């Protein structure tokens, strides 16, 4: 992709990610605790559910220090489960988001909910890592991948039994995603050039997506009224991270949200 289309911070993240991939390829992937596990087909899962809240494990971001001083991914997962989350997103990027790949097997060991590996996936070895450590799906960001790269990663994930949540930000990303064979689409409301969030972006792009493709809205949702509007329009889910992680009681926050949404 053209570097001038993304924020310099994101460009730095991608450079670091390339080095991380090279290191993984050099040392190999030998610990595969969940390699023989049959992953959940997330498209089928979404079609069976009325509406899904994907609760995110997110320690920090490039724009913010730790979201909570007592951050513990397992505590958050248990709170999300009790609160009624239908899926868990796990940020594994280490340098800028302070995530960790080992969060995945630790979380998989305490829940059967669908797990999303959320990272900057650029190479098949990262999909192998996701499979090995218990994920059911991987995030593939249309903006940072060429159409051929995106298509090959979608196919490789499917070969390993994993689903792909293809993230788009605009109409150009959508066209690329559809040509590459995306089966599930996530619309991220964060502009990758300015890093600003506009929740109207999802509503703007949603009508352009074929009806047979489940759509997830991402970034910026805090109010039940905003999410009710997504349900009304036909979205199949929403990914919520920062507001849940920062909450004093994520379990109660989720329960109250779901009660108001009535899903």
């Amino acid at each position: 992709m053209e570097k001038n289309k993304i924020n310099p911070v994101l460009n730095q993240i991608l450079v670091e990610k390339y080095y991380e991939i090279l290191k993984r390829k050099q040392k190999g992937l030998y610990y595969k605790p969940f390699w023989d596990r049959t992953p959940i087909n997330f498209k089928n899962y979404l079609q069976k559910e009325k509406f899904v809240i994907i609760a995110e494990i997110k320690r920090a971001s490039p724009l913010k220090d730790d979201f909570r001083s007592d951050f513990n991914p397992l505590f958050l997962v248990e709170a999300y489960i009790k609160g009624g989350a239908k899926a868990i997103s796990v940020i594994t990027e280490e340098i800028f988001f302070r995530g960790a790949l080992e969060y995945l097997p630790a979380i998989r060991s305490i829940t059967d909910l669908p797990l999303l590996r959320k990272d900057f996936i650029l190479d098949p070895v990262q999909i192998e890592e996701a499979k090995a450590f218990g994920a059911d799906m991987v995030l593939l960001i249309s903006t940072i991948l060429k159409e051929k790269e995106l298509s090959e990663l979608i196919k490789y994930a499917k070969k390993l039994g994993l689903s792909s949540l293809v993230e788009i930000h605009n109409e150009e990303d959508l066209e690329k995603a559809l040509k590459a064979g995306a089966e599930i689409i996530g619309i991220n409301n964060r502009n990758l050039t300015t890093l600003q969030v506009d929740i109207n972006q999802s509503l703007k792009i949603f009508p352009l997506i074929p009806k047979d493709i489940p759509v997830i809205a991402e970034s910026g949702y805090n109010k039940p009224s905003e999410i009710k509007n997504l349900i009304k329009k036909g979205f199949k889910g929403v990914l919520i991270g920062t507001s849940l992680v920062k909450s004093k009681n994520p379990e109660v926050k989720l329960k109250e949200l779901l009660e108001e949404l009535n899903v």
Side-chain angles (χ1 to χ4, degrees):
M1 66 171 295
E2 297 176 24
K3 290 183 180 179
N4 62 0
K5 285 188 177 183
I6 60 174
N7 188 277
V9 173
L10 178 53
N11 188 59
Q12 187 179 356
I13 291 174
L14 296 178
V15 171
E16 294 289 348
K17 189 57 58 174
Y18 282 116
Y19 285 116
E20 180 186 309
I21 291 167
L22 287 174
K23 288 178 183 177
R24 166 57 75 188
K25 287 184 170 182
Q26 288 171 353
K27 67 183 180 181
L29 177 62
Y30 300 103
Y31 181 56
K32 301 181 179 183
F34 295 101
W35 189 263
D36 294 326
R37 172 183 170 272
T38 301
I40 295 168
N41 183 307
F42 197 60
K43 182 174 183 179
N44 291 345
Y45 184 83
L46 287 172
Q47 289 172 335
K48 291 176 183 177
E49 296 285 341
K50 182 179 179 182
F51 188 81
V52 169
I53 289 183
I54 305 175
E56 188 158 86
I57 303 300
K58 181 179 185 179
R59 181 167 190 166
S61 80
L63 306 177
K64 204 123 180 154
D65 289 330
D66 285 9
F67 289 121
R68 56 189 303 144
S69 58
D70 61 345
F71 176 83
N72 181 326
L74 299 184
F75 162 79
L76 285 173
V77 169
E78 288 174 350
Y80 293 165
I81 294 168
K82 292 175 183 176
K86 294 291 183 67
I88 307 293
S89 169
V90 185
I91 295 183
T92 60
E93 197 283 324
E94 294 186 3
I95 299 174
F96 297 88
F97 289 84
R98 302 181 191 173
L101 188 59
E102 54 262 35
Y103 290 171
L104 279 172
I107 292 168
R108 174 50 68 208
S109 69
I110 63 171
T111 183
D112 293 324
L113 287 176
L115 297 186
L116 165 68
R117 181 188 183 182
K118 192 174 180 185
D119 208 319
F120 298 88
I121 305 292
L122 304 171
D123 190 276
V125 73
Q126 295 168 284
I127 298 175
E128 293 173 5
E129 289 174 333
K131 165 79 170 175
F133 292 117
D136 299 286
M137 49 185 162
V138 290
L139 183 78
L140 299 177
I141 304 173
S142 179
T143 311
I144 66 174
L145 296 164
K146 296 177 181 178
E147 183 186 324
K148 183 179 179 182
E149 294 171 333
L150 180 57
S151 175
E152 289 175 350
L153 290 173
I154 291 172
K155 289 176 182 175
Y156 192 67
K158 183 177 284 190
K159 180 180 178 182
L160 295 186
L162 300 185
S163 304
S164 298
L165 174 59
V166 180
E167 180 177 286
I168 67 170
H169 300 81
N170 51 42
E171 293 180 28
E172 182 182 345
D173 285 349
L174 173 60
E175 182 179 359
K176 186 194 304 182
L178 294 177
K179 288 182 179 178
E183 296 184 349
I184 310 167
I185 285 178
I187 307 175
N188 193 333
N189 295 311
R190 188 177 297 279
N191 184 302
L192 292 189
T193 301
T194 65
L195 300 184
Q196 297 300 307
V197 173
D198 176 10
I199 62 171
N200 291 316
Q201 185 68 1
S202 288
L203 299 175
K204 176 184 174 184
I205 297 177
F206 180 77
L208 306 176
I209 300 174
K211 301 293 185 184
D212 63 329
I213 296 180
V215 183
I216 305 294
E218 307 172 30
S219 297
Y221 296 100
N222 296 299
K223 301 175 182 177
S225 59
E226 297 167 344
I227 301 174
K228 282 181 179 179
N229 197 27
L230 296 175
I231 297 171
K232 182 179 178 182
K233 296 291 184 182
F235 284 78
K236 289 301 294 182
V238 63
L239 190 150
I240 305 177
T242 304
S243 63
L244 282 178
V245 175
K246 293 174 71 174
S247 172
K248 290 182 179 179
N249 194 323
E251 177 186 340
V252 171
K253 184 176 178 66
L254 256 179
K255 282 182 177 177
E256 291 176 347
L257 178 60
L258 286 167
E259 283 174 8
E260 193 153 351
L261 295 177
N262 193 28
V263 293

